[in-house]
């Protein structure tokens, strides 16, 4: 790792590395980003070839009024164009019991065969059993470096009780409380 700034003892004596993100520190930058635990989603849309899905952890709320959310597909993804051009898409927040669903869509976009899903009123593939689902109309797409920032206007939302599936350090996990 190239350390362009410095290393020093940090919290509880652990060595921390500081660097400027760039081509020589790409792995370290990914590792630093991986320290932030996120939820896991599967985004779906309908294409001329049928339903398409992708696993993403870049989901976030943008606004309550109007109800807007965002996610960020990688421009290098083979599924980039269908998702950035889709008029409607659904964001499915996955539960801790659904890692197998996410694994399928991380590898391929047509991993629907083993799922309980249906086509929603706007033609969007909707996966059953997720913790929350946001059925969206495309509101805007912005450039975000090597990703796009897709903003969706939430038309319908669904939720159930359960524990979230988390992603941290390149692995799926579960939430445990500290109290």
């Amino acid at each position: 790792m190239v350390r362009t700034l410095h290393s020093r003892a940090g919290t509880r004596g652990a060595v921390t590395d500081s660097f400027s993100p760039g081509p020589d520190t790409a792995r370290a930058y990914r590792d630093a980003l991986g320290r932030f635990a996120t939820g896991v989603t599967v985004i779906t849309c309908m294409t001329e070839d049928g339903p398409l899905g992708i696993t993403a952890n870049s989901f976030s709320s943008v606004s309550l009024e109007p109800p807007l959310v965002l996610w960020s597909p990688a421009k290098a993804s083979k599924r980039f164009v269908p998702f950035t051009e889709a008029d409607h898409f659904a964001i499915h927040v996955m539960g801790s019991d659904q890692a197998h669903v996410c694994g399928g869509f991380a590898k391929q976009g047509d991993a629907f065969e083993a799922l309980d899903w249906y086509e929603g009123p706007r033609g969007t593939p909707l996966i059953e059993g997720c913790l929350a689902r946001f059925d969206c109309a495309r509101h805007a797409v912005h450039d975000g470096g090597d990703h796009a920032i897709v903003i969706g206007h939430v038309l319908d939302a669904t939720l159930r009780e359960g524990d979230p599936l988390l992603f941290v350090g390149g692995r799926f996990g579960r939430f445990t409380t500290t109290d």
Side-chain angles (χ1 to χ4, degrees), residues 101 121 155:
V101 175
L155 304 173

Side-chain angles (χ1 to χ4, degrees), residues 10 32 50 59 63 66 92 101 108 133 147 151 155 157 162-163 174:
F59 168 73
S63 170
H92 304 80
V101 175
Q108 59 187 31
R133 181 177 59 232
H147 284 65
I151 299 177
L155 304 173
D163 293 325
R174 295 174 184 252

Side-chain angles (χ1 to χ4, degrees), residues 48-70:
E48 292 178 3
D49 297 326
L52 187 65
I54 193 168
T55 300
N57 68 337
S58 57
F59 168 73
S60 183
S61 170
V62 174
S63 170
L64 296 176
E65 187 55 44
L68 301 175
V69 294
L70 70 77

Side-chain angles (χ1 to χ4, degrees), residues 69-103:
V69 294
L70 70 77
W71 76 286
S72 300
K75 290 178 180 176
S77 170
K78 295 176 186 174
R79 295 171 261 178
F80 178 79
V81 172
F83 278 108
T84 56
E85 293 181 353
D87 290 330
H88 293 95
F89 58 90
I91 300 172
H92 304 80
V93 177
M94 307 312 284
S96 62
D97 58 337
Q98 296 179 302
H100 65 286
V101 175
C102 300

Side-chain angles (χ1 to χ4, degrees), residues 130-170:
C130 52
L131 282 187
R133 181 177 59 232
F134 303 93
D135 197 358
C136 301
R138 184 183 65 226
H139 179 77
V141 178
H142 301 284
D143 182 60
D146 60 1
H147 284 65
I149 301 164
V150 178
I151 299 177
H153 184 136
V154 179
L155 304 173
D156 294 303
T158 303
L159 74 149
R160 72 164 170 90
E161 292 296 319
D163 293 325
L165 180 63
L166 299 179
F167 186 73
V168 64

